[in-house]
Amino acid sequence: MNTPSPNKNALISKLIFGAIVIGILAYLVTREPNRDPVKDGPKDKKKKVIPRGSSKLWFGIRADKGPVDGVTQKSVGVTVLDVIEGSPASSAGLTPDDLILEFNGKKLSGPRELAKLMDAIGAGKPIKVKVKRADQLVFLNVRLESGGSQQILKNSVKLGAEFIAARQNEDGSFNHFHLTKERSPAVTALLTWALAVSVDQADQDSLARDALEAGIEKLRSWIDDDGGIDTSGWDIGHRSYGTACAILAFRAHDPLKNNEEIDQLTKFLLANQVDESHGYDPVDWRYGAFPYYESMESNQLRTDISTLSYVVQALDAAKVDPSHVVWRRIGLWLDETQNYALLGETEAIRKKERLYRDGGFAFSPRNSKVTSPPESVLNMSFYPSYGTATADGLRSLVIVDGSATHKRALAALQWLARNYGFGAVPSLPADGPTPWGEALFFYYTHSWARALTSAKVARIIKIDENKEEVAHHWPAELTRELARRQRKDGSWKNTSPLMGEDNPMIATAFALLALDATKEAMAMTDVVSIRALPVQSPPTWKDEVLEAPSQDPLLRGLQVYKAKACAACHKDGVAFKGPSLLGVADRFIKKFKTPADARSYMKKHIRNAKEYPGTTPFKGEEMFAYSESALSGPELEDLVTFLLTRKGKRPVSKALMPGQLEVLDSELGDKLFQKHNCVTCHKEDAHGPLLAGVGTRYIEAYGTANAAREALAKHIRNPEKYPSLRKARRSGPKMTTYTEANLSNEDLADIVAYLMKLPQ
């Protein structure tokens, strides 16, 4: 998804949790097509940036450190684990288990030293290699070739895909990662996706190609009536995961086909978002995400960043319209999950809080795998950031916002850059009873590789242990790291059983997906680098200002309502810490006679509720007095503008964005339908189509109630561009085009709500 919608760039949630606009800090991410910061060096000529991992030379071995010398206690040589067929190493006569002692006359202590020597020598030159084979010394001659990382990647992918293909069931399915004799739809979707991104499109006769086609057919057979992947019979079917991976498998299998299957699967995901249709409003911390389990019951509903990230990638692959409300809801949840802005009211709290607001992500707004229960400081709970969550959050942010240049994405990028490396997952324990850091290695590798590729970052510049700036070309480094970890049968495997990666099918799938992202990164033309910097001072939520302030005071007013967390006290339809604000405009105008007088009094009430009480008696906490420092004059004007549009049953705390079709009141819509004389053209003896059952027809045509409402709204706005599902019954005047000048977004939403409820 390349074009973010205007609404998406003003997510309500960015005002709930706040984020001061401190600029994009262009020096953090440098995009310079005509200047390579690794080749040309940094702009600060006093510093030297050391390139690492960018070798494009092809040797063709998988290697590890040699044995430790008993006297010096240091590694000696490079142990050859495997030799790639057709490579320069193979042509020279190297074999597995050889110990390379010297390369071009230089003694070796490990693979990194070998890589540096290769870079220094270059391609095409004859090189003498001293090898210990069993108890004999062997001298070989080799000539390095160009294309190193690409060749290593290609070979690793081929071997990994063949490993998966050889273990497919006859019906095209794959087995569960724990219950190894049970066929699993979700695992089948994951492994078929891994095959789809790995099989060469020109290779029509390989085992991996046959397995891919069989997997695709099996996934087709598992699409249920509601559009999701059928996981019936499983207590934990991973249905959101499975459906998302199936979309990604179908899209990667053939980018131009499988649209019918993708549309069906997408319909399920869109209907499966945690939102108002399932009884959840934006105040609920799970709102906007997707369920891990099958149930939407509150006591069983779990949402997390991992599930969401795969769904986001799938919806992007399905080409869901950037203006669709699903993206805005996702953005709301992402903002609440990221450790970005300071939420504390006092400096004492914020001083402690700064330790946690590092730009990374937690598992959810109420959970982190770093610590359980959450860490608390002065009655505030904190959910620390860690690697897999931050990578998942970044790749989701890039899709939702349309780029990685937004300040929140930059903060997450910085977190990953500071923690770049190939050890355990950053900030997670690598040992103990729950060694998440070790158990999630391959999952993390895929997620951060995809995140960096989506952000178009090819190099990470950071200070190493010698206090030197090193430019890591991560695609090359990751390719070599995964090749080093690949086993002789072509698979990858984790030593920890905690997260299923001890099953080589799962680990291999994630490794192949990581290499797919790596391959894409290698092909990027722009030079994009990120320089790892210390954690920047996080903004406070009160300092939030819009990057592109809306010209619509109604929209600004809603944003103020959300930013000041009014919904924390006012719930629609029920008394909570404050009265419900449904119909607040009707009550104020009725009491004060004119809109102008109602506006004047409402402003006084918000400034000082004790002296100017509201129109609804309420026994409870006294309303906060919003002084000029807490609520500026322009903010107050915009807030009152918003509240005075809340007539009838129009939502207040549940309102998402003005003009979006969740802002509904069907009773008011009925009155507006009459007011605009719509009945004149749509009654029994008129020429326009009858509207009985129109909502049902649109749902059948567009799949979901949300999609149906949006289609109806587009038709009313522009009937020529978006014609009705039914033609006019006889000739007559064309339908009026209702622009915002003669029908506001609010009124349009209410009319659509009325039409959707019309019986057959």
Side-chain angles (χ1 to χ4, degrees), residues 489-500:
D489 62 3
S491 71
W492 286 267
K493 183 178 180 179
N494 200 317
T495 56
S496 171
L498 184 60
M499 292 302 295

Side-chain angles (χ1 to χ4, degrees), residues 149-206:
S149 297
Q150 290 88 342
Q151 292 292 340
I152 295 171
L153 185 147
K154 184 176 181 180
N155 183 75
S156 288
V157 168
K158 180 176 181 292
L159 293 174
E162 288 175 351
F163 174 85
I164 289 177
R167 288 153 181 80
Q168 187 179 44
N169 297 318
E170 290 185 1
D171 65 353
S173 67
F174 291 96
N175 292 342
H176 192 268
F177 54 92
H178 285 316
L179 306 174
T180 53
K181 293 184 179 180
E182 299 288 339
R183 287 159 169 74
S184 167
V187 171
T188 299
L190 173 67
L191 292 171
T192 304
W193 175 29
L195 285 173
V197 300
S198 303
V199 173
D200 185 349
Q201 296 299 312
D203 186 359
Q204 300 297 324
D205 301 319
S206 69

Side-chain angles (χ1 to χ4, degrees), residues 23 49 95 131 198 204 214 221 243 258 271 290 324 354 366 383 410 482 490 533 561 579 655 687 691 693 736:
V49 178
T95 61
V131 174
S198 303
Q204 300 297 324
S221 74
T243 302
N258 304 318
F290 297 83
H324 197 289
R354 284 186 177 90
R366 298 292 182 274
Y383 303 89
L410 284 175
L482 288 176
L533 297 175
Y561 185 87
H687 66 281
L691 296 178
T736 302

